[in-house]
Each structure stands twice: as C-alpha cells, then as structure tokens.
C-alpha cells in the first residue's frame, strides 16, 4: 500500500512538472528556449502597410527571422527553407505564420518588401520599422546587426544574426533554430508545437 502511494505521488509530481513546462517531455531538434525572458513583443508595419504585433497571430505557430532583401546568401536560403517547411506541413501550414523583419529599413521600403517576400511564399509577411524601432526590436530579441563595407553610400552589406525564433500558438517564444537546419527538422518541431507540446 505504501509503495502504491509513493508511486502515485511520484506520477502526480511528474505530471505537474510536465504541465508547468510545455516542453518537458518533448525533444526538439532546435534549441529549446522555453521560458526565455526576452523576445516577448514587437510592433512594426508589414509589407501591406498594416500595423502588426505578435498578438495578431495568436493561435498560430510563428517563426521570426531578421534579415534584409539585399542579403546575398543567408536570408534567401532561410526563406527558401521556410517555404519548403510550409510545403511539408501541408494543410497545417495554414496554422503557421512566417515573419521576416528587415534590419535594413533604409533600403528595404514597404514597396520593395512587398515585391520580395511573396516570391518565397505569398503567406509570408515582411515587417519593418524606422531606425529606432528596428534597434528596439533587435535589442528585444538579442539580435546583432551592423552595416559593413562601403557604409558611406548605399552599397553596404549588413552583418546580422542568422537564427530563427519560433513561438507556440499561445504566443510564447519556445525555440531558436540555427541557420542551416533542415526543413524536415523544422517541420517536425512545428508539428510538435501545433500539437500542444
């Protein structure tokens, strides 16, 4: 009898622990950052001119990547990978929102973003702010970016962080996906989040 009570108590504690930590029983391919005290919000305009916040996408898994349209390799590769993820998710892709935040608002106008982002997937949204808003959002997400090369003109490049943040349908930041992760692994993690894990 005592042994049965001990086992029952142990199971109850384990169950409560799993409830308090959504990822306690899930092994993600990406880095699990559940409970991070940063990356909690943003307020920027999308490429249609609408004001957006993360709360607008509650109920969906959200992926958030910082880049710029003239990026020669990392940004288009990331967006192409996310387009492949959406294909792999099939009907579940309707419950996912991919966001691309420009770190080059000086050159990435609303009009340019409106031409650029739908090439990868018409469901993707590009977000932009002025210089101060961009700095604030990058700080909130611990994202590094800096002009390099010929910074006296408009032919500069922008060095920037290359990872992607993933939020669960409740709006909590959960994962950090390193650049170069496969579409299969990202899709598997998104399916887990969509299933409430």
């Amino acid at each position: 009898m005592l042994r049965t009570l001990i086992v029952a108590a142990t199971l109850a504690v384990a169950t409560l622990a799993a409830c308090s930590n959504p990822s306690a029983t899930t092994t993600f391919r990406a880095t699990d950052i559940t409970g991070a005290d940063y990356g909690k919000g943003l307020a920027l305009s999308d490429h249609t001119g609408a004001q957006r916040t993360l709360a607008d996408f509650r109920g969906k898994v959200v992926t958030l990547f910082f880049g710029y349209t003239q990026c020669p390799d990392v940004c288009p590769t990331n967006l192409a990978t996310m387009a492949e993820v959406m294909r792999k998710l099939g009907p579940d892709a309707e419950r996912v929102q991919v966001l691309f935040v420009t770190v080059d608002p000086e050159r990435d106008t609303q009009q340019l973003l409106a031409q650029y982002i739908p090439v990868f997937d018409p469901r993707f949204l590009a977000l932009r702010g002025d210089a101060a808003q961009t700095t604030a959002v990058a700080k909130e997400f611990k994202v590094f970016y800096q002009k390099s090369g010929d910074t006296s003109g408009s032919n500069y490049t922008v060095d920037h962080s290359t990872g992607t943040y993933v939020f669960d349908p409740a709006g909590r930041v959960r994962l950090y996906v390193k650049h170069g992760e496969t579409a299969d692994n990202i899709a598997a993690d998104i399916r887990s989040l969509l299933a409430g894990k």
Side-chain angles (χ1 to χ4, degrees):
M1 180 69 176
L2 180 60
R3 184 174 179 210
T4 304
L5 288 172
I6 291 171
V7 170
T10 303
L11 287 173
V13 169
T15 301
L16 287 172
C19 290
S20 65
N21 182 356
S23 64
T25 58
T26 303
T27 302
F28 293 107
R29 280 77 169 178
T31 303
D32 188 340
I33 58 170
T34 300
D37 63 352
Y38 58 91
K40 294 183 177 177
L42 58 78
L44 299 168
S45 300
D46 71 19
H47 65 267
T48 71
Q51 289 295 308
R52 298 289 191 166
T53 68
L54 288 173
D56 295 337
F57 310 108
R58 198 61 54 89
K60 292 185 173 188
V61 166
V62 174
T63 72
L64 179 67
F65 175 75
F66 291 76
Y68 67 114
T69 62
Q70 295 187 46
C71 178
D73 44 30
V74 170
C75 302
T77 300
N78 177 283
L79 290 166
T81 298
M82 289 310 303
E84 180 62 20
V85 168
M86 297 292 269
R87 284 190 286 276
K88 288 180 179 296
L89 289 172
D92 283 339
E94 297 308 315
R95 297 169 56 207
V96 176
Q97 182 60 63
V98 174
L99 301 178
F100 172 83
V101 178
T102 181
V103 292
D104 187 17
E106 187 177 325
R107 293 182 299 185
D108 287 348
T109 63
Q110 178 187 328
Q111 293 75 19
L112 179 56
L113 291 169
Q115 294 170 359
Y116 179 78
I117 201 70
V119 169
F120 297 96
D121 189 301
R123 296 167 291 192
F124 291 5
L125 288 175
L127 303 177
R128 73 180 300 277
D130 60 25
Q133 290 170 318
T134 302
T135 298
V137 169
K139 184 177 180 182
E140 172 65 21
F141 284 88
K142 300 187 182 296
V143 167
F144 165 83
Y145 70 99
Q146 178 179 297
K147 288 182 182 180
S148 65
D150 181 11
T151 58
S152 62
S154 62
N155 295 321
Y156 56 85
T157 58
V158 183
D159 298 327
H160 62 91
S161 303
T162 60
T164 298
Y165 291 98
V166 184
F167 296 78
D168 67 18
R172 297 170 297 199
V173 64
R174 297 289 303 279
L175 303 174
Y176 182 79
V177 182
K178 292 179 182 174
H179 177 68
E181 186 60 82
T182 66
D184 284 333
N185 283 347
I186 297 169
D189 282 350
I190 288 175
R191 284 194 184 97
S192 292
L193 293 176
L194 288 172
K197 297 180 180 177

